[in-house]
């Protein structure tokens, strides 16, 4: 977790929801974390972060009986960062996240969006794309994958008028680093939505993750955007957006969408992406 520490010289407290990140980095008796780290539930990650910020503010207000080894100066500097998957962000943790943002909690919430409930075997979440075959929205005779589009989480959170939010991918790593630094060093609630390939459940080659991220951006499926002080900013615009097939290919969860019988569903997905992009362009213009 040196990268997180590199974005700030200040002390960090991490709150980590149940999810793949927590599973991979905290298997007993070892841990990858070199910071204070709290494992929370899906539903209360943002509430736990909010509680930490509340305790910090109460200590600062009283100005006495500080926890041993902590000065007011250190307390002021602590960066609180919460991590959750899309299940813990878009679905189960949304109420706590909305509340924490509305209360002005001084923290950064980072969603690692792999578009489904992955460490339990790919159940669909509201981040799963239209048409994706998951264990709870399979592709078969009755339906051809998920029948509803992704939830617009950045739109929902931007409606809270928080000071900063951004969407990023690990393929655009300099953009991601800049956004992480910005989010962590901005006072008040901030949010990052980071596209996170999952070869196990997307059924893609393990070395294809970065290519998939690039195609997600080039097809406008995953726009690189920021919302800051009420203004939308588009960080990248493809000269000519690639057709959605470029993103779908190589991921067996979408294999059926490339078959003739599902052309209508694939077109629906393309239309949805183009419409969202158009709206985004309008938002950046009126901002
Ligand atoms: C309230 C609750 N429901 C179900 C579970 C079982 N569960 C553990 S992890 C997980 C999937 C998490 O999905 P996501 O938040 O997207 O994280 P990912 O595993 O994809 O990183 C589920 C369903 C749980 N721990 N708590
Ligand atoms: Mg997930």
């Amino acid at each position: 977790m040196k990268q997180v520490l590199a974005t700030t010289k200040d002390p960090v407290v991490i709150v980590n929801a149940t999810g793949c990140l927590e599973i991979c980095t905290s298997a007993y008796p070892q841990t990858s974390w070199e910071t204070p780290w709290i494992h929370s539930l899906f539903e209360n990650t943002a509430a736990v972060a909010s509680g930490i910020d509340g305790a910090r503010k109460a200590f600062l207000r009283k100005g006495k009986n500080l926890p041993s080894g902590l000065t007011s100066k250190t307390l002021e500097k602590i960066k609180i960062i919460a991590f959750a998957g899309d299940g813990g962000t878009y679905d189960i943790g949304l109420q706590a996240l909305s509340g924490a943002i509305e209360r002005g909690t001084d923290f950064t919430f980072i969603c690692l969006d792999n578009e489904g409930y992955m460490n339990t075997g790919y159940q669909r979440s509201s981040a799963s794309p239209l048409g994706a075959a998951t264990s709870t929205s399979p592709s078969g005779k009755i339906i051809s994958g998920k029948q509803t589009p992704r939830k617009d989480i950045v739109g929902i959170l931007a409606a809270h008028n928080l000071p900063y939010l951004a969407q990023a991918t690990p393929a655009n790593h300099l953009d991601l680093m800049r956004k992480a630094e910005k989010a962590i060093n901005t006072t008040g609630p901030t949010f990052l939505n980071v596209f996170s390939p999952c070869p196990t459940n997307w059924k893609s080659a393990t070395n294809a993750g970065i290519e998939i991220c690039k195609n997600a951006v080039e097809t406008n499926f995953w726009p690189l955007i920021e919302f800051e002080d009420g203004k939308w900013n588009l960080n990248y615009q493809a000269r000519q957006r690639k057709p959605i097939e470029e993103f779908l290919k190589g991921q067996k969860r979408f294999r059926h969408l490339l078959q003739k019988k599902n052309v209508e569903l694939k077109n629906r997905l393309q239309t949805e992406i183009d419409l969202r992009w158009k709206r985004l362009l309008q938002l950046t213009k009126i901002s």
Side-chain angles (χ1 to χ4, degrees), residues 17-234:
T18 303
C20 296
L21 178 71
E22 167 254 338
I23 300 281
C24 297
T25 60
S26 65
Y28 183 81
Q30 290 161 334
T31 174
S32 313
W33 299 89
E34 296 177 341
T35 63
W37 181 89
I38 301 171
H39 173 222
S40 64
L41 305 177
F42 270 145
E43 48 276 61
N44 68 350
T45 309
V48 170
S50 205
I52 295 167
D53 187 41
R56 174 240 302 272
K57 284 173 181 155
F59 278 126
L60 286 172
R61 198 172 55 244
K62 287 182 184 161
K64 55 182 184 186
N65 301 330
L66 302 183
S68 70
L70 279 186
T71 61
S72 301
K73 237 182 178 170
T74 318
L75 269 174
E76 264 167 21
K77 281 188 189 166
I78 291 173
K79 302 288 190 264
I80 303 164
I81 304 171
F83 285 98
D86 48 287
T89 306
Y90 288 63
D91 298 338
I92 312 177
L94 185 58
Q95 178 174 328
L97 178 57
S98 172
I101 293 175
E102 189 274 334
R103 288 190 299 277
T105 301
D106 188 7
F107 80 137
T108 297
F109 192 103
I110 301 178
C111 173
L112 300 179
D113 185 348
N114 53 19
E115 309 194 312
Y117 292 83
M118 294 316 197
N119 80 74
T120 43
Y122 202 3
Q123 293 79 36
R124 55 89 90 190
S125 77
S126 59
S128 304
L130 180 71
T134 77
S135 62
T136 47
S137 64
S139 167
K141 282 191 187 139
I142 299 170
I143 55 165
S144 297
K146 193 184 173 221
Q147 297 297 293
T148 53
R150 282 166 54 76
K151 190 187 272 182
D152 179 10
I153 193 75
V154 289
I156 291 169
L157 296 182
H160 290 65
N161 274 318
L162 74 179
Y164 183 76
L165 74 70
Q167 200 160 254
T169 92
N172 310 79
H173 61 285
L174 294 177
D175 177 78
L176 171 58
M177 285 162 73
R178 182 184 63 76
K179 287 171 175 171
E181 201 165 337
K182 173 102 194 167
I184 291 166
N185 291 307
T186 296
T187 304
T190 57
F191 176 75
L192 286 184
N193 200 23
V194 185
F195 193 61
S196 304
C198 172
T200 311
N201 290 313
W202 292 7
K203 299 193 174 54
S204 51
T206 47
N207 62 358
I210 294 298
E211 198 56 32
I212 292 174
C213 287
K214 285 183 184 163
N215 281 327
V217 174
E218 294 293 334
T219 55
N220 292 348
F221 174 83
W222 191 270
L224 299 176
I225 41 172
E226 282 174 299
F227 175 82
E228 188 179 357
D229 296 330
K231 289 191 182 128
W232 287 95
N233 185 22
L234 206 51

Side-chain angles (χ1 to χ4, degrees), residues 211-269:
E211 198 56 32
I212 292 174
C213 287
K214 285 183 184 163
N215 281 327
V217 174
E218 294 293 334
T219 55
N220 292 348
F221 174 83
W222 191 270
L224 299 176
I225 41 172
E226 282 174 299
F227 175 82
E228 188 179 357
D229 296 330
K231 289 191 182 128
W232 287 95
N233 185 22
L234 206 51
N235 308 113
Y236 176 77
Q237 211 165 340
R239 221 170 274 163
Q240 180 144 33
R241 73 122 177 83
K242 287 184 179 175
I244 193 57
E245 285 87 342
E246 293 299 311
F247 171 65
L248 304 178
K249 68 179 190 192
Q251 300 183 55
K252 287 194 186 135
R253 64 177 176 148
F254 294 127
R255 188 171 39 184
H256 54 288
L257 286 185
L258 301 174
Q259 295 168 352
K260 234 181 175 171
K261 64 172 182 171
N262 285 317
V263 74
E264 238 173 68
L265 187 59
K266 188 195 67 194
N267 289 344
R268 229 181 102 199
L269 177 62

